Amino acid sequence: MTATRRTLIAGNWKMNGKSADGVALATSVGGKMKSAAGASFDMLVCPPFTLISKVGEAIKGSGVMLGGQDCHTNVSGAHTGDISAEMLKDMGCGAVIVGHSERRTDHKETDELVAAKASAAHAAGLIAVICIGETEAERDAGKTLDVNGSQVAGSVPAGSNAKNTVIAYEPVWAIGTGRTPTNDEVQEVHAFIRGELAKKVGANEAAAMRILYGGSMKPGNAKELIALADVDGGLIGGASLNADDFWAIGEASN
Ligand code: 13P
């Protein structure tokens, strides 16, 4: 965390939530943000597509940003089951997650596809939250920096800058497992990612670009993680499904 980059606390609800609980969660998070008027961090919630509209209504005027969890590379067309970045923008979204490891695994998404999705997000006026991170086997093989370096090189498209792009470093083995790298390991990877970003977007944009940590972030470990020099917030899965926990993570960044 540094004073020049505004902390972002982002919730990825994944494939969770039906109308009643999703709206209740969003209403609670929005209410907390509103009553905290002037919070020193930004907050983003990314519900499943089915709840985008209702969650958008629930957080309206609260200052919490709405986001999608994925988008297609095209604006419109014959792509059954897909959603475009323009459609998300039309529903009031300000951001979209691209390249989450679950999509890279479940849908065989490549760096090239992720970069194209991020470009589509930029073209629609959305912030692309580009996810990268190594698997446990890659970490054990000493390839952590190589893997993250090549994902930055391949997944961050031309035209990316600190305003339209956020990077989320999510070690795959830390997602939903309750395990996290040590603080030193997190800081090492984040600083390395910032250095690789500089090669793509220039030193000034890289210095201003937010790099979030994701993977078992909870109220109990958020403060020390977000305090690290190159960690600018969190991308939170499980703990973002509980309004009190999600909010506590935001407050831990103060
Ligand atoms: P958890 O916070 O549940 O580990 O999930 C992290 C994540 O994948 C967010 O995108």
Side-chain angles (χ1 to χ4, degrees):
M1 188 165 70
T2 162
T4 56
R5 294 186 296 267
R6 194 170 158 85
T7 302
L8 174 61
I9 306 298
N12 175 9
W13 293 9
K14 308 191 179 184
M15 196 172 72
N16 293 295
K18 293 194 198 157
S19 317
D21 50 330
V23 168
L25 173 58
T27 303
S28 180
V29 170
K32 288 174 192 293
M33 191 69 170
K34 206 164 181 176
S35 50
S40 63
F41 51 86
D42 293 336
M43 208 160 228
L44 166 69
V45 290
C46 302
F49 292 138
T50 48
L51 289 180
I52 293 266
S53 175
K54 284 188 166 160
V55 168
E57 283 299 314
I59 61 174
K60 206 171 195 161
S62 68
V64 175
M65 196 193 301
L66 181 65
Q69 297 178 14
D70 177 47
C71 66
H72 196 269
T73 55
N74 289 1
V75 169
S76 62
H79 302 287
T80 303
D82 280 317
I83 304 283
S84 74
E86 295 231 339
M87 289 168 167
L88 292 173
K89 177 78 175 176
D90 184 49
M91 295 310 292
C93 288
V96 60
I97 297 168
V98 292
H100 192 281
S101 63
E102 288 149 15
R103 292 205 62 85
R104 290 178 187 260
T105 301
D106 295 353
H107 299 276
K108 311 277 180 286
E109 294 196 3
T110 61
D111 285 336
E112 193 181 11
L113 180 64
V114 173
K117 289 184 174 199
S119 282
H122 294 159
L126 297 180
I127 294 171
V129 180
I130 303 174
C131 301
I132 61 173
E134 80 287 352
T135 64
E136 185 156 35
E138 288 163 342
R139 175 163 283 260
D140 288 347
K143 293 184 182 153
T144 297
L145 299 185
D146 283 352
V147 168
N148 284 285
S150 90
Q151 288 184 344
V152 167
S155 303
V156 178
S160 297
N161 59 48
K163 286 206 168 63
N164 67 16
T165 303
V166 170
I167 305 297
Y169 167 56
E170 300 204 308
V172 179
W173 54 274
I175 295 176
T177 60
R179 297 164 56 207
T180 58
T182 65
N183 293 341
D184 285 351
E185 286 167 344
V186 171
Q187 171 55 25
E188 181 195 14
V189 179
H190 277 237
F192 173 78
I193 289 169
R194 201 176 296 289
E196 295 302 294
L197 282 170
K199 296 179 194 165
K200 290 232 56 153
V201 303
N204 288 348
E205 292 300 325
M209 194 174 283
R210 291 181 286 190
I211 306 176
L212 312 184
Y213 169 79
S216 298
M217 188 181 270
K218 305 257 176 322
N221 62 16
K223 197 173 189 67
E224 54 190 87
L225 286 165
I226 297 171
L228 297 169
D230 285 288
V231 176
D232 306 308
L235 181 56
I236 298 118
S240 75
L241 298 174
N242 177 297
D244 289 338
D245 286 351
F246 190 51
W247 186 254
I249 292 173
E251 288 201 312
S253 74
N254 272 329

